[in-house]
Amino acid sequence: MEANENKDLEKLVDKMMSDLTLESPSIDFTSKVMAQVAATKVSEVTLYKPLIPKSIFIAVFGFTCLLTIYLSIYGETTPESWLNFINYEKLFNTRLLKGFTISTISMYAIVASTVMFCIQIGFLKNYFNKRIGV
């Protein structure tokens, strides 16, 4: 019974298809489609927006620089620290920097931020490698 129904359906479809002509798109079909694709609005969801704006990064960087300069000029220096093995005499013996000293707090802050920066590079590299699948 199913074979008869399938044959009848095939005959019906063949008859309907034989009456139709092959349609072709207009000459400028591709350009119209591409114009519509180009005109579609970029989704706000996929648009990259950083969590912290660039102005905040600039402000934090500027504040850190100013704080470092202030502490190096007005900060108290102690002769005993674990960074005494570095000889700054050669670096600061120029005319421009004569008498310039770096406070212990500033040196600790520079070393700590450098270490944290290096740790962040490692974490971010691993994160992006896992995300990309490398």
Side-chain angles (χ1 to χ4, degrees):
M1 179 103 179
E2 284 183 33
N4 280 342
E5 285 180 17
N6 286 341
K7 287 182 182 177
D8 290 338
L9 283 174
E10 282 184 38
K11 286 179 184 177
L12 179 63
V13 169
D14 288 340
K15 183 178 177 186
M16 291 179 73
M17 294 298 286
S18 65
D19 292 341
L20 295 175
T21 60
L22 184 61
E23 293 182 10
S24 61
S26 63
I27 295 172
D28 60 342
F29 174 77
T30 305
S31 61
K32 285 182 180 178
V33 170
M34 292 309 289
Q36 287 180 351
V37 168
T40 57
K41 184 180 176 187
V42 176
S43 174
E44 292 283 333
V45 175
T46 58
L47 188 62
Y48 172 74
K49 288 184 182 177
L51 294 175
I52 302 173
K54 191 181 283 189
S55 59
I56 299 296
F57 276 121
I58 292 170
V60 168
F61 180 74
F63 176 75
T64 305
C65 289
L66 290 175
L67 182 66
T68 303
I69 291 169
Y70 175 79
L71 289 176
S72 66
I73 294 172
Y74 298 109
E76 243 182 73
T77 58
T78 58
E80 299 172 11
S81 74
W82 57 276
L83 294 174
N84 277 342
F85 64 90
I86 300 173
N87 186 6
Y88 298 108
E89 295 296 324
K90 293 178 184 176
L91 179 65
F92 297 121
N93 236 358
T94 62
R95 270 190 195 159
L96 183 64
L97 298 175
K98 194 142 190 131
F100 181 77
T101 58
I102 296 178
S103 68
T104 307
I105 294 173
S106 298
M107 187 56 67
Y108 290 152
I110 292 168
V111 170
S113 53
T114 303
V115 169
M116 290 298 164
F117 182 72
C118 292
I119 290 171
Q120 282 183 357
I121 289 173
F123 278 119
L124 287 174
K125 183 181 182 305
N126 288 335
Y127 171 76
F128 285 118
N129 283 344
K130 286 179 186 177
R131 191 170 155 191
I132 294 172
V134 174

